[in-house]
Amino acid sequence: MYSIKKLLQDGKNIQGEITLKGWVRTFRSNRFIALNDGSTIDNLQVVVDFENTDPELLKRITTGAAIEVKGRLVESQGKGQNVELQASNISILGDSNPEEYPIQPKKHSLEFLRENAHLRVRSSTFSAVMRVRSTLAFAIHKYFQDNGFFYVNTPIITGSDAEGAGEMFRVTTLDAKNPPLNENGEVDYKKDFFGRETNLTVSGQLEGETFAMALGKIYTFGPTFRAENSNTSRHLAEFWMIEPEMAFYDLIDNMNLAEDFIKYVLQYTLEVRRDDLEFLNKRFLEEEKTKPQNERSTMSLIEKLEFVIHNQFKRVSYTEAIDILKNSNHNKKKKFQYPVNEWGVDLQSEHERYLVEKHFECPVILYDYPANIKAFYMRLNEDGKTVRAMDILFPGIGEIVGGSQREERYDVLKQKIADLHMDEATLWWYLDLRKFGTAVHSGFGLGFERLVLFATGMTNIRDVIPYPRTPQSAEF
């Protein structure tokens, strides 16, 4: 059995009767079926001999129905494709009631499609997005495998909070209404399944470091969870992270790898999924027309991808960035929601996007952040105020990568844990890495959905993951 993608590519070389299965997108004039099987953004036109077809069968060829078609490929008489299928036999595999089927051949709002997440991938936009997502995921594995990295599956259930943020989903088997209490009146987690308090992971980094310090270069690619009550277009409660960790890499090595990696996966996807990206490019341009003139992108989606691929990322220290933001007309005219008045503030998305979209007009790597706004595991610089951190900022997205050179010095890391009042006992194994064969090492995390968001030109992160998990929403 052939795929529609194969038929459209090589149809002129395929002889004899073939069998094709797929879903009806449209059926017009009781004669022309637009059939799609998910293999490509394009439909194949099936021509029905309606005069010799059972009228009752014709009534069942409705949008959403699954059908099997047998026939021969012929040169298409219409525009838009080289071949079409002259049907000799049609079988209904699964009916679709046209009065109930929600994904009709018309434009639907993204919110409506989110409410029908189990069916939205049958729309052209979401099928294209999900094929791009699939190809990006494959490109990620291919890049790391081709460059000597080992894939590591780090725990989803963990007793540590890598970010120190405390916004984690608890994992427990204790009775929610009547949990056991200890002598202090607190929940007694010693009686829980794991004998301690556990949560869904926010990052595989800490465990990943243990493997990097034995295998050299590793990466994780798995689900992570944040119990952050945020309903923005950039946040999810469940999302996927790519986290490489490399022994003997300093911050510069880390930045070089991250830039090369991003360019590779975008280039690969642009080549392999060109048809889907061209469709999404048209959608992107149509969406831009609805925006005020001063908010429209100066580049199309494909131009943005090619710009990132073919241009060097601008590298700027946090201190330089603060000076730029403080002295910008945007800041002086109080156009920032969060004004930039002093060194040490945590940059907001509006600041990151200003640097990328207005000032430098290219992707930016910021480095050497203040220690007090970054995680405990980042290497302290000699000035005692900043750490060897780096973030990569993208247009339309803001931060897409966060990473650092890790603190490899036992005494320094031990002191940072104490200063932050963290429980050293839960990190004994992490400290052990600094006692036995410690070495300079680095890594970063890339939010996969933010990468898909950039690559597809979508504007809401809920539209680039199959089933979004957000506050008050876990229906599917």
Side-chain angles (χ1 to χ4, degrees), residues 22 42 75 161-162 187 195 197 218 236 279 283 342 381 443 458:
D42 298 311
E75 186 175 345
D161 179 0
V187 175
E197 187 173 0
I218 67 95
L236 291 166
F279 170 83
R283 181 190 177 280
E342 59 184 10
N381 282 320
M458 303 298 284

Side-chain angles (χ1 to χ4, degrees), residues 150-194:
F150 298 99
Y151 180 38
V152 174
N153 303 117
T154 52
I156 291 175
I157 298 174
T158 179
S160 66
D161 179 0
E163 299 297 322
E167 297 169 330
M168 304 179 77
F169 290 102
R170 184 169 296 142
V171 176
T172 181
T173 59
L174 296 179
D175 185 344
K177 294 182 179 179
N178 188 31
L181 304 178
N182 60 24
E183 57 188 17
N184 297 321
E186 300 168 337
V187 175
D188 187 359
Y189 287 105
K190 290 181 179 179
K191 296 181 180 178
D192 206 347
F193 185 90
F194 292 107

Side-chain angles (χ1 to χ4, degrees), residues 216-457:
K217 296 189 295 186
I218 67 95
Y219 70 105
T220 75
F221 187 0
T224 52
F225 308 85
R226 297 277 174 91
E228 182 178 357
N229 191 14
S230 178
N231 256 314
T232 76
S233 62
R234 297 170 62 249
H235 289 90
L236 291 166
E238 175 188 280
F239 53 99
W240 287 67
M241 287 283 288
I242 302 102
E243 296 178 291
E245 291 291 329
M246 298 77 63
F248 316 118
Y249 272 50
D250 63 15
L251 185 68
I252 303 301
D253 299 323
N254 201 23
M255 290 193 284
N256 291 343
L257 177 78
E259 181 172 345
D260 186 62
F261 161 68
I262 289 174
K263 289 179 175 179
Y264 173 88
V265 297
L266 291 178
Q267 177 71 54
Y268 182 93
T269 304
L270 189 56
E271 292 172 0
V272 173
R273 292 262 77 91
R274 188 82 194 194
D275 53 350
D276 286 310
L277 288 170
E278 286 179 351
F279 170 83
L280 292 169
N281 190 58
K282 291 177 184 176
R283 181 190 177 280
F284 177 83
L285 293 174
E286 289 172 4
E287 291 293 318
E288 287 300 300
K289 290 178 184 177
T290 66
K291 297 179 180 179
Q293 188 72 36
N294 63 338
E295 294 181 14
R296 294 179 189 175
S297 174
T298 58
M299 291 185 282
S300 71
L301 172 61
I302 288 179
E303 285 172 339
K304 282 169 59 176
L305 295 175
E306 290 177 336
F307 182 82
V308 168
I309 292 165
H310 298 300
N311 286 279
Q312 295 296 312
F313 295 3
K314 182 70 176 178
R315 301 185 183 190
V316 183
S317 72
Y318 168 90
T319 300
E320 292 176 83
I322 287 295
D323 287 340
I324 291 168
L325 292 167
K326 277 176 61 177
N327 296 317
S328 68
N329 287 331
H330 216 73
N331 193 54
K332 291 176 180 177
K333 293 180 180 179
K334 303 186 185 305
K335 291 185 177 181
F336 285 133
Q337 182 180 352
Y338 299 93
V340 180
N341 298 319
E342 59 184 10
W343 189 94
V345 297
D346 201 355
L347 297 183
Q348 304 295 319
S349 178
E350 61 177 340
H351 305 139
E352 295 169 341
R353 292 186 60 179
Y354 176 86
L355 292 168
V356 172
E357 297 167 22
K358 303 293 184 184
H359 189 81
F360 291 110
E361 297 183 332
C362 68
V364 174
I365 305 181
L366 291 188
Y367 62 91
D368 285 356
Y369 280 80
N372 63 352
I373 62 172
K374 287 296 184 180
F376 77 97
Y377 51 73
M378 298 184 177
R379 193 186 201 279
L380 191 65
N381 282 320
E382 301 309 315
D383 61 13
K385 298 191 306 178
T386 61
V387 288
R388 299 295 281 162
M390 67 97 173
D391 289 345
I392 298 182
L393 315 179
F394 261 32
I397 303 292
E399 181 193 333
I400 195 168
V401 165
S404 71
Q405 184 174 322
R406 313 312 191 189
E407 182 56 78
E408 85 281 10
R409 298 166 295 184
Y410 177 83
D411 292 341
V412 176
L413 183 61
K414 186 179 174 71
Q415 186 60 51
K416 289 178 77 173
I417 290 171
D419 291 344
L420 292 168
H421 306 292
M422 298 175 70
D423 185 1
E424 182 182 318
T426 65
L427 291 167
W428 65 270
W429 54 273
Y430 190 66
L431 282 164
D432 263 8
L433 296 181
R434 279 74 183 167
K435 291 168 63 178
F436 310 123
T438 190
V440 168
H441 60 289
S442 299
F444 62 83
L446 182 149
F448 184 48
E449 281 71 30
R450 291 193 180 183
L451 181 64
V452 181
L453 201 66
F454 179 77
T456 59

